[in-house]
Amino acid sequence: MNPTDRRPIRHPRPPGVDTLRHTPQRGLDAVPDPRHRGMVADVLASGLVDGMIASTEGFDPPVDTARARADAELLTAEFAAFGVTVPRATANHITLMRALMVPVADDALALALDRIWVFTTDVDDVCSHDPAEAGAVLRAGLLPGHGASSPTARYIRHMFDEIARFCDPTFLAAYKTFFYNAVTGVLMEAEFTPEASDEVDSDFVRVFNGFSQFWFTSLQFTDPCLSAHRHRAFWSAALSSGVAFLNDVNDVLSFYKEAVHGGDFTASRIHRRAVSEGIPYLDAYRRSLDSGLAAYRRVLDLATDEQRPYLDRYMTAFAYWHFHCRRYRWQDVYPGLTPIDH
C-alpha cells in the first residue's frame, strides 16, 4: 500500500505489471450478467486494479507456510470432531491470511488465532446467505438455553476459550462483543432491498457488518506495543479507520469474485451505492478505493514508530492476500499473479 497522499496509479501499465499479460477482456466470460460484465470491464480498463497490484509488488515478508498448512490440517480434523462443516479450502486460505497479516512466534497462539479466524470466516460466509443461521448463532451465544448444545455454539465457545489464554479478560469481552455485533450486522443487512431503495442501508449497518472490528483488533496479539490492554487510547482512536480500511479494500478487491457469483455483486456496497445515487459503477468503485487509502494513511498517522511496521504489514498483506489467494479468482484476470495457496 502507499502511505503518501498520491492518488492511485491511473495509467494502464504501471511499472512491473507488464509481465502479468493483462488484457481488458480477460476473465469477463466468467461474469454471467452482461450489465455486471460491463461494470467489471470499466474498472479493469481504468487501471485502478493494476495500480493496487503494483503497490503490493515489493511485499515479501517471511511467512511460516508450513505452520499454516499444519494448522489447517489440525483444524479440519477438529471441525469434524465437533460436528461442524467448514470447507477445507477455507481453512487453507485463512491460515495463510493470518500468517501474512498477524505473524506470531508462539505456535499455540498461532493455532488459537487460526482457529478463530477460520471459523469466523465460515460463520460470516454461512450467515451472509442465511439470516436464520445468524439469528441462531446470536441466540445460542447470548441467551442461555437457546441452542447452547448445537455444534456451532459449542465450537464458538471452544474458540474463545482457547484464545482467552493469550489476552486479558477485558479484551476478551470486547473481542466477543465484536463477533456478535457482526452477526447482528448480518441480520440488518438481510433487510436490504435488491433495488437499493431502502432506508436500512447506512454507514451504521456497514460498520456492524463484515467482522472488521473483530479482524482489526486481532492485531493486538502480534506485539506488546499493540496490546489492547496497554494501548487502549490508540485502539480507540484507530479502530474506526481500521474498520473503514478493511471494509473498503475488501469491497474493491472482492468485486470480480462477486460479479462471477452474481447475487453477491448486486448486494455489494459499491453496486448498491451506484444504484442508489444514480452514478456510474466506476465512480462508486473509485470512491471506495479512495476511502480505503485515506483510512490506511490515517491508521499509520495515529501509530507510533514502533507500531507502524506491524500496522503497515497487516494492511498491505490484506491487499496482497486478496490478489494471490484463489478465493478471489484474480488469476482469471491476471494469470501472472502467483497463487499463494498453490
Side-chain angles (χ1 to χ4, degrees):
M1 303 298 291
N2 186 353
T4 71
D5 289 327
R6 290 179 294 176
R7 293 181 66 78
I9 298 172
R10 305 290 176 152
H11 54 81
R13 299 257 60 83
V17 183
D18 294 325
T19 56
L20 297 178
R21 299 185 303 280
H22 168 254
T23 60
Q25 298 302 312
R26 186 184 295 277
L28 293 182
D29 288 345
V31 179
D33 189 308
R35 296 166 301 171
H36 300 167
R37 200 177 306 138
M39 296 173 190
V40 171
D42 286 345
V43 173
L44 294 178
S46 73
L48 294 174
V49 177
D50 300 273
M52 285 183 281
I53 294 173
S55 73
T56 64
E57 263 202 324
F59 182 75
D60 187 26
V63 177
D64 191 347
T65 55
R67 176 76 262 165
R69 284 194 297 269
D71 283 359
E73 291 276 355
L74 190 156
L75 291 174
T76 298
E78 185 177 271
F79 296 142
F82 269 80
V84 296
T85 302
V86 178
R88 176 61 182 272
T90 300
N92 289 337
H93 293 159
I94 304 304
T95 54
L96 279 170
M97 179 190 188
R98 196 278 312 156
L100 277 167
M101 293 175 61
V102 184
V104 292
D106 186 314
D107 286 350
L109 173 57
L111 177 60
L113 285 169
D114 284 339
R115 175 184 291 109
I116 210 164
W117 276 40
V118 171
F119 194 68
T120 299
T121 299
D122 187 67
V123 168
D124 191 17
D125 288 345
V126 172
C127 290
S128 294
H129 294 96
D130 184 359
E133 182 63 21
V137 168
L138 282 175
R139 292 190 300 274
L142 301 177
L143 298 177
H146 286 257
S149 62
S150 74
T152 297
R154 287 198 304 273
Y155 198 85
I156 290 171
R157 186 166 57 248
H158 170 63
M159 73 183 192
F160 281 122
D161 285 347
E162 290 299 307
I163 202 70
R165 298 185 290 132
F166 302 98
C167 57
D168 75 281
T170 301
F171 173 77
L172 180 63
Y175 205 43
K176 288 183 178 181
T177 299
F178 293 150
F179 174 83
Y180 288 110
N181 278 351
V183 180
T184 304
V186 172
L187 285 175
M188 291 189 286
E189 192 175 65
E191 298 305 310
F192 291 174
T193 60
E195 66 274 11
S197 63
D198 57 82
E199 299 297 327
V200 180
D201 195 350
S202 66
D203 289 339
F204 175 80
V205 174
R206 181 56 174 150
V207 168
F208 262 71
N209 193 260
F211 291 86
S212 291
Q213 296 173 82
F214 187 81
W215 296 130
F216 191 56
T217 52
S218 295
L219 191 57
Q220 78 100 33
F221 292 99
T222 55
D223 189 86
C225 74
L226 284 165
S227 163
H229 177 66
R230 298 186 185 93
H231 302 282
R232 193 172 297 161
F234 165 76
W235 285 107
S236 298
L239 187 55
S240 63
S241 295
V243 168
F245 170 83
L246 292 175
N247 282 341
D248 289 332
V249 173
N250 182 68
D251 286 346
V252 299
L253 297 183
S254 300
F255 85 106
Y256 174 74
K257 173 179 74 74
E258 291 169 345
V260 172
H261 180 275
D264 286 349
F265 189 80
T266 56
S268 70
R269 177 70 161 168
I270 297 174
H271 184 267
R272 289 181 60 82
R273 174 180 285 161
V275 172
S276 64
E277 297 185 17
I279 61 176
Y281 181 85
L282 178 58
D283 290 351
Y285 184 93
R286 184 178 281 112
R287 191 191 302 179
S288 290
L289 175 58
D290 289 346
S291 174
L293 292 176
Y296 167 80
R297 293 189 290 268
R298 173 66 173 160
V299 169
L300 294 186
D301 286 345
L302 289 168
T304 65
D305 290 344
E306 188 179 10
Q307 293 168 336
R308 197 165 292 117
Y310 297 100
L311 291 155
D312 190 28
R313 170 168 173 162
Y314 179 93
M315 293 186 287
T316 302
F318 185 66
Y320 179 89
W321 177 76
H322 275 75
F323 282 125
H324 292 270
C325 178
R326 285 189 174 92
R327 178 181 173 93
Y328 292 89
R329 303 187 57 144
W330 281 111
Q331 287 74 29
D332 293 359
V333 184
Y334 297 88
L337 285 174
T338 303
I340 192 173
D341 51 338
H342 59 280

mmCIF file of all heavy atoms in Angstrom, residues 16-56:
data_model
loop_
_atom_site.group_PDB
_atom_site.id
_atom_site.type_symbol
_atom_site.label_atom_id
_atom_site.label_comp_id
_atom_site.label_asym_id
_atom_site.label_seq_id
_atom_site.Cartn_x
_atom_site.Cartn_y
_atom_site.Cartn_z
ATOM 1 N N GLY A 16 6.228 -2.724 -13.626
ATOM 2 C CA GLY A 16 6.296 -4.059 -13.068
ATOM 3 C C GLY A 16 5.101 -4.942 -13.343
ATOM 4 O O GLY A 16 5.103 -6.110 -13.002
ATOM 5 N N VAL A 17 4.042 -4.416 -13.957
ATOM 6 C CA VAL A 17 2.840 -5.202 -14.172
ATOM 7 C C VAL A 17 2.786 -5.772 -15.585
ATOM 8 O O VAL A 17 1.948 -6.598 -15.903
ATOM 9 C CB VAL A 17 1.580 -4.353 -13.866
ATOM 10 C CG1 VAL A 17 0.304 -5.165 -14.010
ATOM 11 C CG2 VAL A 17 1.646 -3.828 -12.443
ATOM 12 N N ASP A 18 3.717 -5.360 -16.455
ATOM 13 C CA ASP A 18 3.704 -5.858 -17.837
ATOM 14 C C ASP A 18 3.747 -7.380 -17.890
ATOM 15 O O ASP A 18 3.132 -7.995 -18.762
ATOM 16 C CB ASP A 18 4.900 -5.296 -18.612
ATOM 17 C CG ASP A 18 4.794 -3.786 -18.795
ATOM 18 O OD1 ASP A 18 3.666 -3.301 -18.966
ATOM 19 O OD2 ASP A 18 5.821 -3.111 -18.744
ATOM 20 N N THR A 19 4.468 -7.987 -16.973
ATOM 21 C CA THR A 19 4.631 -9.444 -17.006
ATOM 22 C C THR A 19 3.329 -10.181 -16.709
ATOM 23 O O THR A 19 3.241 -11.385 -16.928
ATOM 24 C CB THR A 19 5.679 -9.881 -15.984
ATOM 25 O OG1 THR A 19 5.296 -9.398 -14.699
ATOM 26 C CG2 THR A 19 7.053 -9.318 -16.339
ATOM 27 N N LEU A 20 2.314 -9.472 -16.224
ATOM 28 C CA LEU A 20 1.048 -10.133 -15.909
ATOM 29 C C LEU A 20 0.228 -10.422 -17.163
ATOM 30 O O LEU A 20 -0.739 -11.153 -17.130
ATOM 31 C CB LEU A 20 0.235 -9.276 -14.942
ATOM 32 C CG LEU A 20 0.896 -9.057 -13.578
ATOM 33 C CD1 LEU A 20 0.026 -8.159 -12.713
ATOM 34 C CD2 LEU A 20 1.158 -10.364 -12.870
ATOM 35 N N ARG A 21 0.595 -9.789 -18.287
ATOM 36 C CA ARG A 21 -0.058 -10.021 -19.580
ATOM 37 C C ARG A 21 -1.576 -9.838 -19.483
ATOM 38 O O ARG A 21 -2.351 -10.619 -20.008
ATOM 39 C CB ARG A 21 0.274 -11.424 -20.115
ATOM 40 C CG ARG A 21 1.753 -11.651 -20.343
ATOM 41 C CD ARG A 21 2.031 -12.997 -20.978
ATOM 42 N NE ARG A 21 1.508 -14.091 -20.190
ATOM 43 C CZ ARG A 21 2.108 -14.589 -19.120
ATOM 44 N NH1 ARG A 21 3.238 -14.077 -18.689
ATOM 45 N NH2 ARG A 21 1.574 -15.590 -18.454
ATOM 46 N N HIS A 22 -1.981 -8.781 -18.797
ATOM 47 C CA HIS A 22 -3.409 -8.497 -18.658
ATOM 48 C C HIS A 22 -3.972 -7.909 -19.933
ATOM 49 O O HIS A 22 -3.341 -7.085 -20.589
ATOM 50 C CB HIS A 22 -3.642 -7.519 -17.504
ATOM 51 C CG HIS A 22 -5.029 -6.957 -17.474
ATOM 52 N ND1 HIS A 22 -5.310 -5.656 -17.844
ATOM 53 C CD2 HIS A 22 -6.218 -7.520 -17.147
ATOM 54 C CE1 HIS A 22 -6.607 -5.434 -17.726
ATOM 55 N NE2 HIS A 22 -7.169 -6.551 -17.303
ATOM 56 N N THR A 23 -5.145 -8.348 -20.316
ATOM 57 C CA THR A 23 -5.903 -7.708 -21.393
ATOM 58 C C THR A 23 -7.264 -7.345 -20.811
ATOM 59 O O THR A 23 -7.773 -8.039 -19.934
ATOM 60 C CB THR A 23 -6.090 -8.647 -22.599
ATOM 61 O OG1 THR A 23 -6.797 -9.811 -22.175
ATOM 62 C CG2 THR A 23 -4.754 -9.037 -23.197
ATOM 63 N N PRO A 24 -7.859 -6.239 -21.272
ATOM 64 C CA PRO A 24 -9.110 -5.780 -20.655
ATOM 65 C C PRO A 24 -10.238 -6.805 -20.659
ATOM 66 O O PRO A 24 -11.135 -6.741 -19.833
ATOM 67 C CB PRO A 24 -9.474 -4.555 -21.489
ATOM 68 C CG PRO A 24 -8.179 -4.067 -22.036
ATOM 69 C CD PRO A 24 -7.371 -5.300 -22.285
ATOM 70 N N GLN A 25 -10.207 -7.762 -21.585
ATOM 71 C CA GLN A 25 -11.310 -8.707 -21.693
ATOM 72 C C GLN A 25 -11.099 -9.995 -20.909
ATOM 73 O O GLN A 25 -12.019 -10.790 -20.759
ATOM 74 C CB GLN A 25 -11.539 -9.078 -23.170
ATOM 75 C CG GLN A 25 -11.920 -7.890 -24.040
ATOM 76 C CD GLN A 25 -13.184 -7.207 -23.533
ATOM 77 O OE1 GLN A 25 -14.189 -7.869 -23.254
ATOM 78 N NE2 GLN A 25 -13.136 -5.894 -23.387
ATOM 79 N N ARG A 26 -9.892 -10.195 -20.397
ATOM 80 C CA ARG A 26 -9.597 -11.469 -19.745
ATOM 81 C C ARG A 26 -10.473 -11.671 -18.510
ATOM 82 O O ARG A 26 -10.598 -10.796 -17.672
ATOM 83 C CB ARG A 26 -8.116 -11.535 -19.348
ATOM 84 C CG ARG A 26 -7.703 -12.907 -18.790
ATOM 85 C CD ARG A 26 -6.271 -12.885 -18.315
ATOM 86 N NE ARG A 26 -5.333 -12.679 -19.400
ATOM 87 C CZ ARG A 26 -4.881 -13.644 -20.206
ATOM 88 N NH1 ARG A 26 -5.305 -14.883 -20.037
ATOM 89 N NH2 ARG A 26 -4.018 -13.372 -21.147
ATOM 90 N N GLY A 27 -11.055 -12.838 -18.400
ATOM 91 C CA GLY A 27 -11.846 -13.191 -17.232
ATOM 92 C C GLY A 27 -13.296 -12.752 -17.294
ATOM 93 O O GLY A 27 -14.098 -13.159 -16.456
ATOM 94 N N LEU A 28 -13.658 -11.929 -18.271
ATOM 95 C CA LEU A 28 -15.022 -11.400 -18.297
ATOM 96 C C LEU A 28 -16.057 -12.457 -18.674
ATOM 97 O O LEU A 28 -17.223 -12.332 -18.294
ATOM 98 C CB LEU A 28 -15.114 -10.218 -19.266
ATOM 99 C CG LEU A 28 -14.330 -8.965 -18.856
ATOM 100 C CD1 LEU A 28 -14.541 -7.858 -19.882
ATOM 101 C CD2 LEU A 28 -14.737 -8.494 -17.471
ATOM 102 N N ASP A 29 -15.643 -13.478 -19.401
ATOM 103 C CA ASP A 29 -16.596 -14.520 -19.788
ATOM 104 C C ASP A 29 -17.176 -15.240 -18.577
ATOM 105 O O ASP A 29 -18.254 -15.842 -18.663
ATOM 106 C CB ASP A 29 -15.924 -15.548 -20.706
ATOM 107 C CG ASP A 29 -15.652 -14.992 -22.093
ATOM 108 O OD1 ASP A 29 -16.223 -13.931 -22.421
ATOM 109 O OD2 ASP A 29 -14.860 -15.601 -22.832
ATOM 110 N N ALA A 30 -16.477 -15.194 -17.440
ATOM 111 C CA ALA A 30 -16.962 -15.871 -16.236
ATOM 112 C C ALA A 30 -18.065 -15.089 -15.536
ATOM 113 O O ALA A 30 -18.719 -15.613 -14.640
ATOM 114 C CB ALA A 30 -15.805 -16.106 -15.269
ATOM 115 N N VAL A 31 -18.276 -13.829 -15.937
ATOM 116 C CA VAL A 31 -19.309 -12.988 -15.317
ATOM 117 C C VAL A 31 -20.619 -13.205 -16.069
ATOM 118 O O VAL A 31 -20.734 -12.838 -17.233
ATOM 119 C CB VAL A 31 -18.905 -11.500 -15.358
ATOM 120 C CG1 VAL A 31 -19.996 -10.624 -14.732
ATOM 121 C CG2 VAL A 31 -17.576 -11.301 -14.640
ATOM 122 N N PRO A 32 -21.633 -13.801 -15.444
ATOM 123 C CA PRO A 32 -22.837 -14.205 -16.178
ATOM 124 C C PRO A 32 -23.732 -13.049 -16.624
ATOM 125 O O PRO A 32 -24.356 -13.128 -17.684
ATOM 126 C CB PRO A 32 -23.574 -15.120 -15.197
ATOM 127 C CG PRO A 32 -23.098 -14.703 -13.847
ATOM 128 C CD PRO A 32 -21.680 -14.252 -14.030
ATOM 129 N N ASP A 33 -23.818 -11.990 -15.845
ATOM 130 C CA ASP A 33 -24.734 -10.891 -16.156
ATOM 131 C C ASP A 33 -24.025 -9.873 -17.047
ATOM 132 O O ASP A 33 -22.986 -9.319 -16.655
ATOM 133 C CB ASP A 33 -25.187 -10.218 -14.866
ATOM 134 C CG ASP A 33 -26.309 -9.215 -15.077
ATOM 135 O OD1 ASP A 33 -26.156 -8.333 -15.946
ATOM 136 O OD2 ASP A 33 -27.339 -9.295 -14.365
ATOM 137 N N PRO A 34 -24.549 -9.589 -18.249
ATOM 138 C CA PRO A 34 -23.864 -8.656 -19.160
ATOM 139 C C PRO A 34 -23.715 -7.254 -18.587
ATOM 140 O O PRO A 34 -22.739 -6.560 -18.889
ATOM 141 C CB PRO A 34 -24.753 -8.657 -20.406
ATOM 142 C CG PRO A 34 -26.064 -9.216 -19.970
ATOM 143 C CD PRO A 34 -25.770 -10.146 -18.857
ATOM 144 N N ARG A 35 -24.665 -6.825 -17.742
ATOM 145 C CA ARG A 35 -24.528 -5.496 -17.118
ATOM 146 C C ARG A 35 -23.354 -5.480 -16.147
ATOM 147 O O ARG A 35 -22.553 -4.530 -16.138
ATOM 148 C CB ARG A 35 -25.827 -5.135 -16.396
ATOM 149 C CG ARG A 35 -27.042 -4.984 -17.287
ATOM 150 C CD ARG A 35 -28.297 -4.966 -16.437
ATOM 151 N NE ARG A 35 -28.434 -6.193 -15.646
ATOM 152 C CZ ARG A 35 -29.326 -6.383 -14.690
ATOM 153 N NH1 ARG A 35 -30.161 -5.403 -14.362
ATOM 154 N NH2 ARG A 35 -29.386 -7.529 -14.029
ATOM 155 N N HIS A 36 -23.237 -6.527 -15.352
ATOM 156 C CA HIS A 36 -22.119 -6.615 -14.422
ATOM 157 C C HIS A 36 -20.807 -6.733 -15.186
ATOM 158 O O HIS A 36 -19.785 -6.169 -14.777
ATOM 159 C CB HIS A 36 -22.284 -7.828 -13.499
ATOM 160 C CG HIS A 36 -23.535 -7.794 -12.686
ATOM 161 N ND1 HIS A 36 -24.000 -8.902 -11.996
ATOM 162 C CD2 HIS A 36 -24.429 -6.807 -12.447
ATOM 163 C CE1 HIS A 36 -25.122 -8.582 -11.365
ATOM 164 N NE2 HIS A 36 -25.398 -7.323 -11.628
ATOM 165 N N ARG A 37 -20.849 -7.454 -16.288
ATOM 166 C CA ARG A 37 -19.646 -7.633 -17.106
ATOM 167 C C ARG A 37 -19.121 -6.278 -17.579
ATOM 168 O O ARG A 37 -17.907 -6.013 -17.571
ATOM 169 C CB ARG A 37 -19.976 -8.536 -18.297
ATOM 170 C CG ARG A 37 -18.766 -9.184 -18.950
ATOM 171 C CD ARG A 37 -19.227 -10.100 -20.071
ATOM 172 N NE ARG A 37 -20.214 -11.075 -19.601
ATOM 173 C CZ ARG A 37 -21.309 -11.418 -20.280
ATOM 174 N NH1 ARG A 37 -21.572 -10.847 -21.459
ATOM 175 N NH2 ARG A 37 -22.136 -12.310 -19.778
ATOM 176 N N GLY A 38 -20.022 -5.409 -17.975
ATOM 177 C CA GLY A 38 -19.619 -4.087 -18.422
ATOM 178 C C GLY A 38 -19.018 -3.258 -17.291
ATOM 179 O O GLY A 38 -18.047 -2.510 -17.503
ATOM 180 N N MET A 39 -19.579 -3.380 -16.089
ATOM 181 C CA MET A 39 -19.044 -2.645 -14.944
ATOM 182 C C MET A 39 -17.648 -3.133 -14.593
ATOM 183 O O MET A 39 -16.746 -2.336 -14.307
ATOM 184 C CB MET A 39 -19.985 -2.799 -13.755
ATOM 185 C CG MET A 39 -21.359 -2.195 -13.965
ATOM 186 S SD MET A 39 -22.496 -2.599 -12.593
ATOM 187 C CE MET A 39 -24.064 -2.031 -13.268
ATOM 188 N N VAL A 40 -17.466 -4.454 -14.600
ATOM 189 C CA VAL A 40 -16.145 -5.023 -14.327
ATOM 190 C C VAL A 40 -15.151 -4.556 -15.380
ATOM 191 O O VAL A 40 -14.015 -4.169 -15.061
ATOM 192 C CB VAL A 40 -16.215 -6.555 -14.277
ATOM 193 C CG1 VAL A 40 -14.814 -7.164 -14.203
ATOM 194 C CG2 VAL A 40 -17.052 -7.018 -13.091
ATOM 195 N N ALA A 41 -15.559 -4.565 -16.641
ATOM 196 C CA ALA A 41 -14.674 -4.139 -17.719
ATOM 197 C C ALA A 41 -14.244 -2.688 -17.540
ATOM 198 O O ALA A 41 -13.079 -2.333 -17.773
ATOM 199 C CB ALA A 41 -15.369 -4.322 -19.068
ATOM 200 N N ASP A 42 -15.162 -1.826 -17.118
ATOM 201 C CA ASP A 42 -14.826 -0.414 -16.909
ATOM 202 C C ASP A 42 -13.762 -0.255 -15.823
ATOM 203 O O ASP A 42 -12.820 0.550 -15.965
ATOM 204 C CB ASP A 42 -16.077 0.376 -16.500
ATOM 205 C CG ASP A 42 -17.038 0.602 -17.650
ATOM 206 O OD1 ASP A 42 -16.632 0.411 -18.820
ATOM 207 O OD2 ASP A 42 -18.207 0.966 -17.382
ATOM 208 N N VAL A 43 -13.906 -1.015 -14.731
ATOM 209 C CA VAL A 43 -12.924 -0.910 -13.652
ATOM 210 C C VAL A 43 -11.563 -1.419 -14.116
ATOM 211 O O VAL A 43 -10.528 -0.782 -13.881
ATOM 212 C CB VAL A 43 -13.396 -1.690 -12.412
ATOM 213 C CG1 VAL A 43 -12.296 -1.721 -11.347
ATOM 214 C CG2 VAL A 43 -14.654 -1.060 -11.832
ATOM 215 N N LEU A 44 -11.549 -2.559 -14.813
ATOM 216 C CA LEU A 44 -10.281 -3.108 -15.267
ATOM 217 C C LEU A 44 -9.594 -2.174 -16.254
ATOM 218 O O LEU A 44 -8.369 -2.001 -16.228
ATOM 219 C CB LEU A 44 -10.501 -4.487 -15.903
ATOM 220 C CG LEU A 44 -10.991 -5.589 -14.962
ATOM 221 C CD1 LEU A 44 -11.206 -6.884 -15.733
ATOM 222 C CD2 LEU A 44 -10.017 -5.806 -13.812
ATOM 223 N N ALA A 45 -10.367 -1.546 -17.133
ATOM 224 C CA ALA A 45 -9.791 -0.632 -18.118
ATOM 225 C C ALA A 45 -9.279 0.658 -17.483
ATOM 226 O O ALA A 45 -8.425 1.344 -18.063
ATOM 227 C CB ALA A 45 -10.829 -0.300 -19.185
ATOM 228 N N SER A 46 -9.755 0.990 -16.286
ATOM 229 C CA SER A 46 -9.355 2.250 -15.639
ATOM 230 C C SER A 46 -7.921 2.238 -15.131
ATOM 231 O O SER A 46 -7.334 3.287 -14.883
ATOM 232 C CB SER A 46 -10.297 2.541 -14.459
ATOM 233 O OG SER A 46 -10.024 1.665 -13.370
ATOM 234 N N GLY A 47 -7.363 1.057 -14.929
ATOM 235 C CA GLY A 47 -6.019 0.955 -14.371
ATOM 236 C C GLY A 47 -5.969 0.948 -12.859
ATOM 237 O O GLY A 47 -4.886 0.811 -12.281
ATOM 238 N N LEU A 48 -7.118 1.069 -12.195
ATOM 239 C CA LEU A 48 -7.111 1.125 -10.734
ATOM 240 C C LEU A 48 -6.632 -0.184 -10.111
ATOM 241 O O LEU A 48 -5.884 -0.185 -9.134
ATOM 242 C CB LEU A 48 -8.507 1.474 -10.222
ATOM 243 C CG LEU A 48 -9.019 2.882 -10.563
ATOM 244 C CD1 LEU A 48 -10.468 3.037 -10.111
ATOM 245 C CD2 LEU A 48 -8.150 3.946 -9.926
ATOM 246 N N VAL A 49 -7.064 -1.301 -10.677
ATOM 247 C CA VAL A 49 -6.635 -2.592 -10.130
ATOM 248 C C VAL A 49 -5.147 -2.800 -10.397
ATOM 249 O O VAL A 49 -4.407 -3.273 -9.523
ATOM 250 C CB VAL A 49 -7.466 -3.750 -10.720
ATOM 251 C CG1 VAL A 49 -6.962 -5.096 -10.198
ATOM 252 C CG2 VAL A 49 -8.940 -3.571 -10.381
ATOM 253 N N ASP A 50 -4.698 -2.413 -11.586
ATOM 254 C CA ASP A 50 -3.260 -2.513 -11.888
ATOM 255 C C ASP A 50 -2.439 -1.743 -10.859
ATOM 256 O O ASP A 50 -1.386 -2.191 -10.408
ATOM 257 C CB ASP A 50 -2.973 -1.946 -13.278
ATOM 258 C CG ASP A 50 -3.700 -2.671 -14.382
ATOM 259 O OD1 ASP A 50 -3.168 -3.669 -14.881
ATOM 260 O OD2 ASP A 50 -4.811 -2.238 -14.729
ATOM 261 N N GLY A 51 -2.933 -0.569 -10.496
ATOM 262 C CA GLY A 51 -2.216 0.239 -9.520
ATOM 263 C C GLY A 51 -2.137 -0.418 -8.164
ATOM 264 O O GLY A 51 -1.104 -0.353 -7.478
ATOM 265 N N MET A 52 -3.211 -1.063 -7.757
ATOM 266 C CA MET A 52 -3.188 -1.749 -6.466
ATOM 267 C C MET A 52 -2.224 -2.932 -6.482
ATOM 268 O O MET A 52 -1.523 -3.195 -5.500
ATOM 269 C CB MET A 52 -4.597 -2.192 -6.087
ATOM 270 C CG MET A 52 -5.485 -1.052 -5.624
ATOM 271 S SD MET A 52 -7.123 -1.621 -5.086
ATOM 272 C CE MET A 52 -7.931 -1.842 -6.680
ATOM 273 N N ILE A 53 -2.202 -3.653 -7.592
ATOM 274 C CA ILE A 53 -1.236 -4.757 -7.704
ATOM 275 C C ILE A 53 0.180 -4.223 -7.609
ATOM 276 O O ILE A 53 1.025 -4.762 -6.884
ATOM 277 C CB ILE A 53 -1.441 -5.524 -9.020
ATOM 278 C CG1 ILE A 53 -2.793 -6.231 -9.020
ATOM 279 C CG2 ILE A 53 -0.308 -6.540 -9.225
ATOM 280 C CD1 ILE A 53 -3.153 -6.867 -10.348
ATOM 281 N N ALA A 54 0.454 -3.135 -8.328
ATOM 282 C CA ALA A 54 1.793 -2.548 -8.315
ATOM 283 C C ALA A 54 2.194 -2.101 -6.911
ATOM 284 O O ALA A 54 3.353 -2.221 -6.514
ATOM 285 C CB ALA A 54 1.853 -1.359 -9.280
ATOM 286 N N SER A 55 1.230 -1.612 -6.129
ATOM 287 C CA SER A 55 1.547 -1.108 -4.792
ATOM 288 C C SER A 55 1.937 -2.224 -3.829
ATOM 289 O O SER A 55 2.523 -1.963 -2.780
ATOM 290 C CB SER A 55 0.362 -0.327 -4.224
ATOM 291 O OG SER A 55 -0.694 -1.192 -3.843
ATOM 292 N N THR A 56 1.608 -3.481 -4.158
ATOM 293 C CA THR A 56 1.964 -4.614 -3.291
ATOM 294 C C THR A 56 3.133 -5.420 -3.849
ATOM 295 O O THR A 56 3.489 -6.451 -3.272
ATOM 296 C CB THR A 56 0.755 -5.560 -3.104
ATOM 297 O OG1 THR A 56 0.397 -6.138 -4.362
ATOM 298 C CG2 THR A 56 -0.447 -4.813 -2.533
#
